[in-house]
Amino acid sequence: MWVSVLFLVVFTGLLSVTSLWLWRQQAAGEGRSVHHAAPRRTATRRHANA
């Protein structure tokens, strides 16, 4: 029984820490703009023409 209580405490702590970390990451990223598009560069050929 004590082993299951220990597992419950450990996993509850891990869940709390993870949710707090994700919440802080989301709050910190609200001010920044997100770039989803690919960069607008022309494709360059990497080999010489024969």
Side-chain angles (χ1 to χ4, degrees), residues 1-15:
M1 181 181 150
W2 292 109
V3 173
S4 47
V5 170
L6 178 67
F7 280 145
L8 181 66
V9 168
V10 167
F11 286 121
T12 303
L14 286 173
L15 180 64

Side-chain angles (χ1 to χ4, degrees), residues 33-50:
S33 62
V34 180
H35 299 284
H36 291 289
R40 294 184 181 211
R41 286 187 286 168
T42 58
T44 58
R45 297 180 73 146
R46 300 212 180 260
H47 54 78
N49 289 332

Side-chain angles (χ1 to χ4, degrees), residues 7-36:
F7 280 145
L8 181 66
V9 168
V10 167
F11 286 121
T12 303
L14 286 173
L15 180 64
S16 301
V17 168
T18 304
S19 61
L20 178 66
W21 178 75
L22 287 173
W23 179 72
R24 291 183 71 187
Q25 288 289 327
Q26 185 179 12
E30 286 178 354
R32 291 185 241 150
S33 62
V34 180
H35 299 284
H36 291 289

